[in-house]
C-alpha cells in the first residue's frame, strides 16, 4: 500500500506540473519581449509586492534543500539585501529534498520574471530560523509545543513548515489578478499563480498521503497541524474563511460531499483571494499590517507594504 500511495502521489504531482510548466514557458517567453515600458503604472505596486513572498520562498527552499541561498546561486537578485536569519539545510529524505530543490529554483525564476517586468527592491530582512517557525506553530496551537517545533529536523516537519508559505502567495496572486490592467501584468501573474498553485498542490498531496500520521514527539496528526495553521491564517487575516486544512467538515468539502480536502477552495471549488493587507497581517504574525514581525522583522518592502509602516 505504501508503494501504491507513493506512486499515486508522484502521478498527481506530474499531472499537476506538466501543463503548468508548458504554459509558464510560453508566458515567460512572451514576457521576455514585452519589457518594462509595457507595464501600466497602476500595476507596478501589485507586481512588486509579491517579491516579498518570492524572496521568502526562494531562501527557505534553497537553504532547506542545498544549505545555501540567493547569495550563492544568484547574488544579483538579492540586490545587496541582508542575508536571512537562521536559514539552514534541512534533514530531508532524497525524494523530499529533490522536490524542495525544484521549488527553490522555480522561485529564482519567479524573482527574475518579476524583476524583468518592474524595478523591484532588494531582499528584505527575513527570519526563517527554527525559532520563527516555532512561534507560528505555538500560535496555531495556542500554547508552546514541547520541544519547540523545528522545521529543519526532518522531512515531515519541513513539509508542514512549507505548508505555511506558498499558499499565502497563491491567494495573493488570486486577489491581485482582477485588479491588474495591462496584458503584460496579467500574463505574468497568471504564470506565477500557476506554478505557486502547483507547489501548494504538491505540498498538500504529500501531506495528505500522511494525514493520519502522528508527528513526533507531539502525538498530533499531520491533518490537525494543517487545520491549526489554516485556522491561524484565517484569524490573522481578519477576513473570514479563506484557508482550509487537509481534512474539513463534509459541508466545507467539494460540493459538500467529501471531508478530504487535498486542494483548498470556496463553495465552487475556486481559489480564495487575499489583499496585500491580509497577507501582511499573516506573514507578520501580528494580525496588523502596520506591525512587522514574524518572517519580516523590519517589515516587508515595496510601496504598498511601506505605506503601512510607522514613520520614525
Amino acid at each position: 500500500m505504501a508503494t501504491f500511495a507513493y506512486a499515486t502521489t508522484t502521478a498527481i504531482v506530474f499531472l499537476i506540473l506538466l501543463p503548468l510548466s508548458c504554459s509558464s514557458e510560453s508566458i515567460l517567453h512572451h514576457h521576455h519581449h514585452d519589457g518594462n515600458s509595457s507595464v501600466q503604472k497602476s500595476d507596478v505596486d501589485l507586481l512588486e509586492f509579491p517579491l516579498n513572498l518570492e524572496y521568502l520562498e526562494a531562501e527557505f527552499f534553497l537553504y532547506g534543500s542545498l544549505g545555501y541561498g540567493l547569495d550563492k546561486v544568484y547574488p544579483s537578485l538579492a540586490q545587496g539585501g541582508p542575508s536571512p536569519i537562521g536559514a539552514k539545510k534541512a534533514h530531508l529524505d532524497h525524494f523530499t529534498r529533490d522536490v524542495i530543490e525544484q521549488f527553490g529554483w522555480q522561485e529564482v525564476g519567479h524573482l527574475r520574471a518579476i524583476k524583468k517586468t518592474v524595478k523591484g527592491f532588494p531582499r528584505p530582512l527575513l527570519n526563517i530560523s527554527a525559532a520563527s517557525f516555532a512561534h507560528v506553530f505555538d500560535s496555531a496551537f495556542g500554547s508552546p509545543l514541547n520541544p519547540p517545533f523545528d522545521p529543519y529536523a526532518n522531512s515531515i516537519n519541513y513539509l508542514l513548515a512549507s505548508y505555511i508559505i506558498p499558499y499565502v502567495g497563491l491567494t495573493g496572486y488570486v486577489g491581485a489578478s482582477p485588479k491588474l490592467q495591462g496584458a503584460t501584468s496579467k500574463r505574468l501573474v497568471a504564470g506565477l499563480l500557476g506554478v505557486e498553485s502547483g507547489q501548494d498542490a504538491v505540498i498538500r498531496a504529500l501531506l495528505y498521503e500522511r494525514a493520519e500520521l502522528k508527528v513526533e514527539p507531539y502525538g498530533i496528526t499531520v491533518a490537525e497541524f494543517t487545520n491549526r495553521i489554516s485556522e491561524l491564517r484565517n484569524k490573522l487575516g481578519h477576513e473570514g474563511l479563506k484557508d482550509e486544512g487537509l481534512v474539513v467538515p463534509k459541508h466545507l468539502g467539494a460540493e459538500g460531499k467529501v471531508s478530504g480536502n487535498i486542494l483548498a477552495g470556496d463553495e465552487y471549488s475556486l481559489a480564495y483571494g487575499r489583499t496585500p493587507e491580509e497577507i501582511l497581517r499573516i506573514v507578520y504574525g501580528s494580525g496588523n499590517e502596520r506591525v512587522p514581525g514574524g518572517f519580516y522583522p523590519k517589515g516587508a518592502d515595496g510601496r504598498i507594504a511601506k505605506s503601512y509602516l510607522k514613520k520614525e
Side-chain angles (χ1 to χ4, degrees), residues 31 34-44 47 116-118 182 184-185:
H31 159 68
D34 280 329
N36 296 354
S37 61
S38 61
V39 178
Q40 294 199 17
K41 208 170 181 182
S42 59
D43 291 346
V44 172
L47 294 182
K116 201 169 184 62
T117 307
V118 291
T184 296
S185 304

Side-chain angles (χ1 to χ4, degrees), residues 193-296:
L193 173 58
V195 175
E196 291 292 326
S197 300
Q199 291 178 351
D200 180 64
V202 169
I203 292 166
R204 292 181 73 101
L206 292 172
L207 289 172
Y208 188 72
E209 184 180 7
R210 303 162 174 82
E212 298 307 314
L213 175 72
K214 290 189 176 180
V215 181
E216 297 300 334
Y218 310 108
I220 301 169
T221 65
V222 165
E224 182 62 14
F225 265 91
T226 65
N227 291 341
R228 292 299 186 103
I229 289 297
S230 289
E231 289 169 5
L232 175 65
R233 290 188 298 212
N234 284 327
K235 178 182 175 182
L236 292 173
H238 297 307
E239 290 295 338
L241 178 64
K242 295 191 176 183
D243 218 304
E244 300 167 347
L246 293 175
V247 179
V248 296
K250 188 175 284 189
H251 73 274
L252 290 178
E255 296 302 300
K257 302 295 184 183
V258 291
S259 58
N261 200 42
I262 200 166
L263 296 178
D266 65 12
E267 62 179 312
Y268 303 105
S269 290
L270 301 178
Y272 295 102
R274 283 189 170 112
T275 64
E277 292 77 14
E278 291 172 70
I279 289 172
L280 290 173
R281 294 168 198 158
I282 293 168
V283 297
Y284 287 172
S286 64
N288 187 335
E289 61 269 35
R290 302 179 186 278
V291 181
F295 298 121
Y296 300 86

Side-chain angles (χ1 to χ4, degrees), residues 105-181:
W105 291 112
Q106 289 163 10
E107 298 307 331
V108 171
H110 291 179
L111 289 168
R112 290 194 304 109
I114 295 174
K115 291 190 173 198
K116 201 169 184 62
T117 307
V118 291
K119 182 179 179 181
F121 47 79
R123 173 182 56 201
L125 179 63
L126 302 170
N127 185 351
I128 51 177
S129 65
S132 181
F133 280 93
H135 180 73
V136 173
F137 283 97
D138 288 349
S139 297
F141 283 94
S143 61
L145 292 178
N146 186 24
F149 187 88
D150 182 358
Y152 301 105
N154 54 57
S155 294
I156 198 67
N157 281 23
Y158 193 87
L159 287 171
L160 285 169
S162 298
Y163 178 87
I164 295 173
I165 303 174
Y167 183 75
V168 178
L170 180 167
T171 57
Y173 286 131
V174 173
S177 184
K179 300 175 183 177
L180 297 171
Q181 301 299 313

Side-chain angles (χ1 to χ4, degrees), residues 62-82:
L62 288 172
Y63 268 99
S65 60
L66 301 173
Y68 47 83
L70 289 175
D71 288 335
K72 181 171 181 178
V73 305
Y74 214 124
S76 62
L77 280 179
Q79 290 181 239

